[in-house]
Amino acid sequence: SPDFDDGGSKLKRLFSQPLYNIQTPELKQEEKLLQLEQLIEYYRRKVSHWERHKKLYDEAASFTNISLKEPKMTYDPDASWLKFHLGINRYALYSRDDPTILQLLWDMENMTIVSADYTQDEKALKGACDCTQVVKPSGHHLKLALKMHNFGKAMFKPMRQQRDEETPEDFFYFVDFQRHNAEIAAFHLDMILDFRRVPPVVGRRVNLTREVFQVAHNEDLRAVFFTSPANNTCFFAKCLYMCKTEYAVCGSPELLEGSLSAYLPGLTVAPRLSIPNPWKRSYTFAEREEWEVNPFFCDSIKQAYPYNSGNRLLNIIDMAIFDFLIGNMDRHHYEIFTKFGDEGLLLHLDNARGFGKHSHDEMSILAPLSQCCMIKHSTLLRLQLLARSDFRLSDVMRESLEKDPLRPVLTEPHLLALDRRLQKILRVVQRCVRRLGKDEVITRDFIKPTATP
Amino acid sequence: MILFRKFRVLILMVFLVACTLHIMIDLLPKLEKRAAGADGEEGGCQCAQHPGREAQGWGKQRARSAAEAGWPNKHTLRILQDFSNEPSSNLTSHSLEKSTAGGDRAGDPRGRTGPSAKERKALIGDASGARTASAQALSRLSALFEHPLYKVDLPPLTDDDTLFNVNNDIRFYPRATGNQGWHNEEGAEDEDEFSPTAEATAESYPNWLRFHIGINRYELYPRHSPVLDSLLKDLVTQRITSVAMKSGGTQLKLIMTFQNYGQALFKPMKQTREQETPPDFFYFSDFERHNAEIAAFHLDRVLDFRRVPPVAGRLVNMTSEIRDVTRDKKLWRTFFISPANNVCFYGECSYYCSTEHALCGKPDQIEGSLAAFLPDLNLAKRKTWRNPWRRSYHKRKKAEWEVDPDYCDEVKQTPPYDRGTRLLDVMDMTIFDFLMGNMDRHHYETFEKFGNDTFIIHLDNGRGFGKHSHDELSILVPLSQCCRVRKSTYLRLQLLAKEEYQLSSLMEESLLRDRLSPVLIQPHLLAMDRRLRLVLQVVADCIEKEGYVNVVEEDLSGDTANHRGPGHR
């Protein structure tokens, strides 16, 4: 029976459910991604690198008689991003009710931005723009790497679409816009589903002039800033602009909202593997992938490494459920940490193409679930819990998103679509159970639930 | 020695093969013709048979003439056509489209299945029905054209004043006068307008050719011309026989060739009527709008300038009228079916030609504007002039006229603005552009034959009508800096500001005739009234400052000296 002593907060009640209090076994040293000494050493190197650069800037500045307004950088061994990195383990990116995450969100929202630059994948293109490519590489998209004064880094994706705009019906999934609010909402949904596989994301209004242009040292980046006829500060993604596929994004006049997602540890300290999703789409206008035409596709996947053992396939199905809820058709790859091997967590990175259409449920995203007819017991229990009226998914999402500075992050139709899609997932599971029996479908993973609700 | 002999034999063989090939190629069209004739008998389509045969013969002629490139043969009717409406393409008319279009002609011009004669009849019926309906209502437009200001005659025309001399020049194109195919074809379709038994006179030419012949020193077409109405009708109803992409343009444009060999420039719909240009867009990154092209033609006519080539709106079937009739692989390749099952394509161009900006039909019908081609540059050369008030086309730089308030004094002393009517023509163009909100007038063109004493052709108006809630006063800068205006223009503007001749309602009525009506939404129509008042205000301020005689140029006294006389500044 529900009690309302907690001020009617469904979210709090949800998180106090036994299902959300399953304790993972005590973590052994090798089950953590990073060791403290290793990370501190890495951090020190970054700081000294920055100081060397700063010295160079200062010298150049004194030479040209320009006084640079350099922000104060602080070395802080207690920085929230550092703790976040240290907390990553083989089960999740962060633990439940970890105060570090709240602190990290707060930091990303409020901290001074000391530098802005292109992201690595954009730099990797080295300015080469192939406009004939139908599917643009991820480096083409408009996003920036922002650095905070405690050396924390976040990826900034600016607002491209109004909240109430839907993806045009003629758009293919691979030409859809990147939505900042989808990034934010995906983080909250991931937390509510207790997956914890999305790095923390927060919304922020960024001052394009002060917080991006003036702290950008990259000449290429500075060159893409301009003032629009309406006197707004704008900037554009070089390749997309050159190819005339997109116009610039503009502040009004300088403030632009966007999502900031926390960086994962650098690839040098924590290498990751990017693996093609077996259920990825063709990324062409007409062709179809095998899974789209072969209903027994999963049978062959089940035989293939690494899906033939362990939890990998169940993790893929978790990811499909997550993507179906947000309507993300663009999951071509997933990433894992090399250190944890095949049994590690799947990272749900890059969710900006979710939440494009609230009036449409793309059932093909659920293909892994409907074709394999397998689901983790813990996932199913949580989905069933979130379908109940006292923990309704749309309500807990609404409540969770209220905490974001860019509220409302999702419009009401998108929230209600979550409930509808959740029902569809449960129906698919039901159908599987009817066909194959409970024992075949509902699979126990390595996390044993201590109690059932 | 033996080797050498063998070599000789080889050369001989090659020669022989080449000869046979040549003969085969020459024979091929005849064979095709025979096949076509058989087809016609089987299908029982009498009307199409004759033109088909004619076209085949002509196609062969074309192929041969292109190969020989002899001067008189080169003057086929084909080159009466213009392949470019782009100012910069003045010198490069040997474009790709030309050869592909020519290739199409040599192929099979009637094999495609267009709409049946019955369907076509129905369409024509629709159009005329709409026209009579609007005529029944109290027509402000016809009242306007009855006004004395719209009855000022042109000076008498001499041979030097017409673009083509019918007696001398048209004779060069035997196909134009000798080909019975056209008027037979026309006759089958609109018998009320063309007598099928008529002699091969000017009346029997296709409408696009009559439009070209009618161009003179003072206007692109006369005020009340049956040719114009028929030409507009042709643009909407003629079967499209081939489509090519226009190269060199910034945004996607297609060149459409009709069954009567007329050609038109197709600009597809990119924005809905309600969409406004985003405030952060620069004038040079704005979309080109098909409805702006149509509306500009009507506005130009209401203003009595007659300097915009005829434009009509048309619903085009992307599958049967674009994809299936194009020989352009680059264009053909970009067709795809969208997730919503609509036909889409994006073409190839430098602006907005990507999957993100694909043009999609519903499911395969797409709206667009069709602008009649001007005569080919080989026959009627055009001069391209840089607009003195051209913008900088740069995100940060400013143009000279934006910083120098006395800029016009400089312009007035520079040829060709120091004499004749050129400066006044630029003022007319300024007013025209301001009424539409077109900031993209970087160049303008004139017909070379007429020298400096001729009108300015107002081409490329697709960037007008972008914002109804904003009046871009910088477009009016030429007028406010120069303080000069034609009396006839000034009087007409005053007339159009009056309640009974209100510009917005005249435009609304005029645009009703277009197939894509409503072409403009109400806010755009009302914006024109508002902008007209601003223009009149600028002129009034000028008059107050510099006196009526110094501002308003008398051009209504009726002698030709005004048009060509020197010393008018």
Side-chain angles (χ1 to χ4, degrees):
Chain A
S1 61
D3 63 316
F4 295 95
D5 294 345
D6 46 19
S9 167
K10 284 188 180 178
L11 194 63
K12 267 188 198 154
R13 264 185 289 135
L14 177 75
F15 286 147
S16 63
Q17 283 290 309
L19 196 53
Y20 283 80
N21 286 300
I22 304 162
Q23 291 309 307
T24 45
E26 191 62 39
L27 287 171
K28 297 191 208 80
Q29 198 63 273
E30 68 269 18
E31 289 182 311
K32 290 184 170 177
L33 183 65
L34 298 168
Q35 312 308 321
L36 181 65
E37 310 78 59
Q38 187 193 2
L39 193 63
I40 293 290
E41 172 56 31
Y42 175 72
Y43 188 8
R44 282 233 174 80
R45 257 187 287 137
K46 284 259 161 203
V47 174
S48 64
H49 180 84
W50 167 268
E51 275 164 356
R52 264 205 317 280
H53 264 254
K54 188 180 175 315
K55 215 182 234 169
L56 277 174
Y57 287 137
D58 285 345
E59 273 167 19
S62 65
F63 196 71
T64 51
N65 268 342
I66 308 165
S67 63
L68 272 183
K69 209 170 67 197
E70 273 308 326
K72 187 101 187 72
M73 293 293 278
T74 45
Y75 169 77
D76 175 14
D78 285 326
S80 55
W81 67 267
L82 206 66
K83 283 183 174 167
F84 160 58
H85 285 183
L86 282 173
I88 300 174
N89 60 59
R90 60 171 291 193
Y91 299 109
L93 280 179
Y94 50 90
S95 53
R96 294 182 202 103
D97 48 70
D98 184 352
T100 311
I101 299 307
L102 281 178
Q103 181 63 39
L104 178 59
L105 291 176
W106 193 90
D107 280 354
M108 287 197 294
E109 183 195 333
N110 297 294
M111 263 213 253
T112 323
I113 296 165
V114 294
S115 107
D117 202 348
Y118 283 124
T119 53
Q120 283 306 319
D121 52 357
E122 180 146 11
K123 283 184 187 169
L125 293 175
K126 293 197 171 108
C129 305
D130 182 0
C131 296
T132 57
Q133 278 171 305
V134 170
V135 182
K136 307 284 184 296
S138 70
H140 270 185
H141 298 295
L142 195 59
K143 58 191 177 203
L144 295 172
L146 301 181
K147 195 183 269 171
M148 314 292 158
H149 75 72
N150 66 358
F151 291 93
K153 273 173 96 179
M155 171 125 43
F156 175 68
K157 291 193 178 173
M159 178 167 97
R160 313 256 351 154
Q161 249 186 339
Q162 296 298 325
R163 304 275 197 285
D164 49 4
E165 271 179 279
E166 279 206 86
T167 303
E169 55 166 16
D170 288 323
F171 265 38
F172 275 88
Y173 48 91
F174 51 80
V175 295
D176 196 6
F177 279 121
Q178 307 258 335
R179 276 170 291 275
H180 73 303
N181 57 334
E183 285 279 357
I184 303 168
F187 165 65
H188 286 260
L189 178 66
D190 173 79
M191 197 157 50
I192 284 167
L193 292 172
D194 202 37
F195 289 158
R196 289 168 283 131
R197 294 163 203 170
V198 175
V201 184
V202 74
R204 173 168 177 167
R205 284 190 183 80
V206 172
N207 185 316
L208 281 183
T209 312
R210 242 180 336 100
E211 297 182 307
V212 183
F213 178 68
Q214 285 173 4
V215 296
H217 298 298
N218 187 329
E219 269 314 307
D220 283 348
L221 179 59
R222 292 177 75 92
V224 299
F225 278 79
F226 64 94
T227 307
S228 84
N231 262 328
N232 296 324
T233 305
C234 307
F235 75 112
F236 51 81
K238 209 167 153 200
C239 275
L240 293 184
Y241 190 77
M242 264 182 63
C243 303
K244 304 289 173 198
T245 54
E246 265 179 41
Y247 195 68
V249 287
C250 297
S252 60
E254 291 179 330
L255 284 184
L256 176 66
E257 56 177 73
S259 65
L260 285 174
S261 55
Y263 261 61
L264 289 172
L267 290 173
T268 47
V269 287
R272 296 195 297 268
L273 220 58
S274 181
I275 301 166
N277 183 352
W279 278 269
K280 84 170 166 84
R281 285 159 203 280
S282 69
Y283 288 83
T284 58
F285 290 127
E287 282 162 48
R288 284 172 166 269
E289 286 290 323
E290 195 195 339
W291 63 267
E292 290 175 272
V293 286
N294 177 10
F296 306 108
F297 177 71
C298 188
D299 296 341
S300 50
I301 288 293
K302 276 179 186 167
Q303 321 267 309
Y305 172 82
Y307 306 103
N308 52 0
S309 65
N311 287 305
R312 180 61 72 81
L313 194 54
L314 290 168
N315 286 339
I316 295 274
I317 290 166
D318 275 355
M319 185 168 72
I321 289 169
F322 175 71
D323 283 335
F324 174 71
L325 285 171
I326 65 175
N328 178 17
M329 297 169 78
D330 193 32
R331 184 78 62 192
H332 42 84
H333 283 76
Y334 60 89
E335 291 191 26
I336 57 168
F337 285 112
T338 335
K339 182 172 181 185
F340 301 135
D342 287 337
E343 280 308 307
L345 79 159
L346 257 54
L347 292 169
H348 298 174
L349 301 175
D350 221 343
N351 306 301
R353 280 189 169 147
F355 295 106
K357 291 181 188 175
H358 54 70
S359 45
H360 173 75
D361 304 333
E362 183 56 47
M363 291 307 287
S364 66
I365 307 175
L366 264 190
L369 175 65
S370 51
Q371 290 181 352
C372 300
C373 268
M374 284 163 71
I375 188 169
K376 277 186 197 172
H377 193 196
S378 57
T379 305
L380 180 63
L381 288 175
R382 276 194 297 271
L383 291 177
Q384 284 167 339
L385 192 66
L386 290 166
R388 278 165 47 178
S389 65
D390 40 344
F391 301 109
R392 201 197 318 270
L393 179 56
S394 59
D395 292 341
V396 286
M397 270 296 278
R398 193 181 297 114
E399 193 185 327
S400 183
L401 289 171
E402 266 299 300
K403 296 178 207 153
D404 195 87
L406 296 185
R407 66 187 160 265
V409 174
L410 289 182
T411 58
E412 207 51 32
H414 278 297
L415 289 167
L416 297 179
L418 288 173
D419 291 334
R420 191 182 62 223
R421 290 172 191 159
L422 181 58
Q423 290 300 333
K424 289 189 176 171
I425 297 169
L426 293 176
R427 239 173 284 151
V428 169
V429 176
Q430 264 170 26
R431 214 178 306 136
C432 283
V433 169
R434 263 204 307 274
R435 199 150 54 89
L436 300 169
K438 221 172 176 176
D439 296 340
E440 276 288 305
V441 176
I442 301 164
T443 318
R444 308 217 160 224
D445 54 338
F446 55 80
I447 306 169
K448 299 268 184 290
T450 51
T452 42
Chain B
M1 198 59 201
I2 292 167
L3 212 89
F4 183 62
R5 236 180 237 166
K6 262 190 187 164
F7 196 55
R8 262 212 314 232
V9 168
L10 200 81
I11 287 172
L12 234 132
M13 285 291 282
V14 166
F15 193 70
L16 233 130
V17 167
C19 272
T20 339
L21 261 173
H22 238 275
I23 291 164
M24 293 262 284
I25 286 167
D26 254 23
L27 272 173
L28 210 62
K30 273 180 198 156
L31 288 171
E32 267 178 39
K33 193 161 80 181
R34 198 173 294 163
D39 266 359
E41 271 152 36
E42 271 169 30
C45 178
Q46 295 296 316
C47 55
Q49 184 185 344
H50 198 157
R53 211 176 256 172
E54 283 299 327
Q56 290 297 352
W58 183 81
K60 183 186 151 205
Q61 171 91 16
R62 156 93 188 142
R64 197 188 283 162
S65 69
E68 287 164 10
W71 173 240
N73 274 344
K74 210 170 142 195
H75 273 242
T76 57
L77 194 102
R78 176 96 240 103
I79 46 176
L80 257 176
Q81 294 287 311
D82 179 13
F83 291 91
S84 72
N85 258 352
E86 198 69 15
S88 57
S89 58
N90 213 6
L91 305 167
T92 56
S93 63
H94 302 283
S95 51
L96 176 81
E97 293 91 52
K98 193 166 189 172
S99 52
T100 53
D104 283 356
R105 187 84 346 69
D108 181 7
R110 64 169 212 91
R112 322 273 178 206
T113 48
S116 71
K118 212 185 221 173
E119 280 169 352
R120 243 176 278 147
K121 273 264 159 61
L123 288 173
I124 294 163
D126 271 349
S128 54
R131 200 162 302 165
T132 47
S134 64
Q136 274 163 5
L138 186 67
S139 171
R140 287 188 190 215
L141 201 61
S142 43
L144 178 80
F145 289 137
E146 287 304 309
H147 194 277
L149 269 175
Y150 285 76
K151 299 207 157 218
V152 182
D153 288 328
L154 292 184
L157 297 177
T158 65
D159 275 358
D160 290 342
D161 294 336
T162 52
L163 193 59
F164 297 111
N165 189 326
V166 182
N167 297 325
N168 297 325
D169 295 341
I170 298 300
R171 235 189 349 187
F172 272 105
Y173 325 120
R175 290 287 142 192
T177 47
N179 196 338
Q180 299 290 310
W182 286 312
H183 80 253
N184 261 6
E185 215 165 67
E186 291 301 322
E189 273 183 32
D190 350 65
E191 281 177 47
D192 40 354
E193 270 178 65
F194 298 102
S195 149
T197 53
E199 288 297 317
T201 59
E203 261 70 63
S204 66
Y205 298 152
N207 293 314
W208 60 264
L209 185 55
R210 294 169 71 195
F211 159 60
H212 288 175
I213 293 167
I215 299 173
N216 64 50
R217 184 184 289 279
Y218 309 107
E219 59 186 13
L220 272 181
Y221 52 88
R223 263 186 214 111
H224 306 288
S225 119
V227 175
L228 185 75
D229 285 334
S230 326
L231 179 61
L232 287 173
K233 203 200 236 171
D234 277 359
L235 290 172
V236 181
T237 55
Q238 280 270 325
R239 187 161 63 81
I240 296 163
T241 55
S242 88
V243 172
M245 251 189 310
K246 181 171 165 358
S247 66
T250 49
Q251 298 192 24
L252 182 74
K253 291 164 210 156
L254 302 177
I255 295 161
M256 300 201 154
T257 310
F258 299 115
Q259 92 208 88
N260 69 354
Y261 310 116
Q263 285 193 310
L265 195 70
F266 178 77
K267 292 193 184 179
M269 171 163 133
K270 292 212 178 80
Q271 273 185 322
T272 62
R273 309 274 195 285
E274 291 75 25
Q275 270 176 312
E276 279 205 90
T277 303
D280 289 322
F281 266 43
F282 284 91
Y283 49 92
F284 49 79
S285 40
D286 196 4
F287 293 112
E288 297 208 38
R289 278 167 290 274
H290 74 303
N291 56 337
E293 289 280 347
I294 304 168
F297 164 67
H298 288 260
L299 176 64
D300 173 81
R301 199 148 80 135
V302 167
L303 291 171
D304 201 38
F305 289 156
R306 285 165 282 124
R307 295 164 201 170
V308 175
V311 186
R314 175 168 179 165
L315 262 178
V316 172
N317 185 315
M318 294 163 76
T319 320
S320 64
E321 294 181 310
I322 301 178
R323 195 191 62 187
D324 293 350
V325 294
T326 186
R327 293 278 172 102
D328 195 328
K329 278 234 172 61
K330 282 184 195 158
L331 174 64
W332 193 84
R333 265 207 309 260
T334 65
F335 274 84
F336 63 92
I337 307 284
S338 85
N341 266 326
N342 295 321
V343 179
C344 305
F345 76 106
Y346 51 93
E348 214 173 65
C349 61
S350 53
Y351 269 60
Y352 307 122
C353 277
S354 62
T355 42
E356 288 82 353
H357 294 275
L359 304 161
C360 294
K362 282 227 178 270
D364 59 357
Q365 300 274 315
I366 189 168
E367 281 189 17
S369 67
L370 278 163
F373 264 32
L374 289 175
D376 185 77
L377 294 168
N378 285 337
L379 289 168
K381 283 207 183 65
R382 298 204 293 272
K383 257 186 117 139
T384 301
W385 306 80
R386 194 187 151 96
N387 184 353
W389 282 272
R390 181 188 197 272
R391 283 164 203 278
S392 67
Y393 287 82
H394 191 281
K395 283 198 182 70
R396 286 177 285 268
K397 279 182 205 145
K398 283 197 164 202
E400 197 187 337
W401 57 269
E402 288 177 274
V403 286
D404 179 6
D406 300 324
Y407 182 72
C408 187
D409 295 339
E410 238 171 85
V411 176
K412 278 179 184 170
Q413 280 153 31
T414 323
Y417 307 99
D418 57 342
R419 56 189 296 274
T421 56
R422 184 56 62 84
L423 192 68
L424 294 167
D425 283 327
V426 172
M427 294 303 122
D428 281 353
M429 182 170 70
T430 297
I431 293 164
F432 176 63
D433 283 338
F434 177 69
L435 290 175
M436 325 191 274
N438 178 13
M439 298 169 79
D440 194 33
R441 186 74 65 189
H442 41 83
H443 284 85
Y444 62 83
E445 292 185 57
T446 59
F447 285 110
E448 202 177 76
K449 179 180 178 186
F450 303 135
N452 285 348
D453 306 311
T454 182
F455 66 95
I456 290 174
I457 313 167
H458 297 168
L459 291 174
D460 253 330
N461 306 303
R463 285 196 167 133
F465 297 105
K467 294 181 190 175
H468 53 72
S469 46
H470 173 76
D471 304 330
E472 183 56 47
L473 284 164
S474 67
I475 306 174
L476 265 189
V477 163
L479 185 65
S480 55
Q481 282 183 350
C482 298
C483 271
R484 304 280 289 142
V485 69
R486 270 202 180 91
K487 188 176 180 185
S488 58
T489 305
Y490 186 40
L491 291 179
R492 273 195 304 271
L493 292 177
Q494 284 176 323
L495 188 70
L496 294 170
K498 282 187 184 151
E499 184 66 40
E500 64 263 45
Y501 296 107
Q502 202 178 30
L503 179 58
S504 57
S505 45
L506 287 168
M507 277 296 284
E508 190 176 13
E509 191 190 326
S510 184
L511 288 172
L512 268 183
R513 301 173 178 193
D514 196 87
R515 186 63 62 92
L516 299 183
S517 169
V519 174
L520 290 181
I521 56 166
Q522 206 62 26
H524 277 300
L525 291 168
L526 297 178
M528 280 192 277
D529 288 334
R530 189 180 66 220
R531 289 171 191 158
L532 179 59
R533 284 194 295 273
L534 286 168
V535 174
L536 289 172
Q537 189 56 49
V538 167
V539 178
D541 290 348
C542 280
I543 291 173
E544 193 177 312
K545 211 164 48 183
E546 301 188 10
Y548 186 87
V549 262
N550 294 319
V551 175
V552 182
E553 172 81 23
E554 177 66 60
D555 67 333
L556 292 168
S557 53
D559 66 320
T560 50
N562 264 324
H563 287 273
R564 272 183 267 170
H568 280 279
R569 294 185 30 193

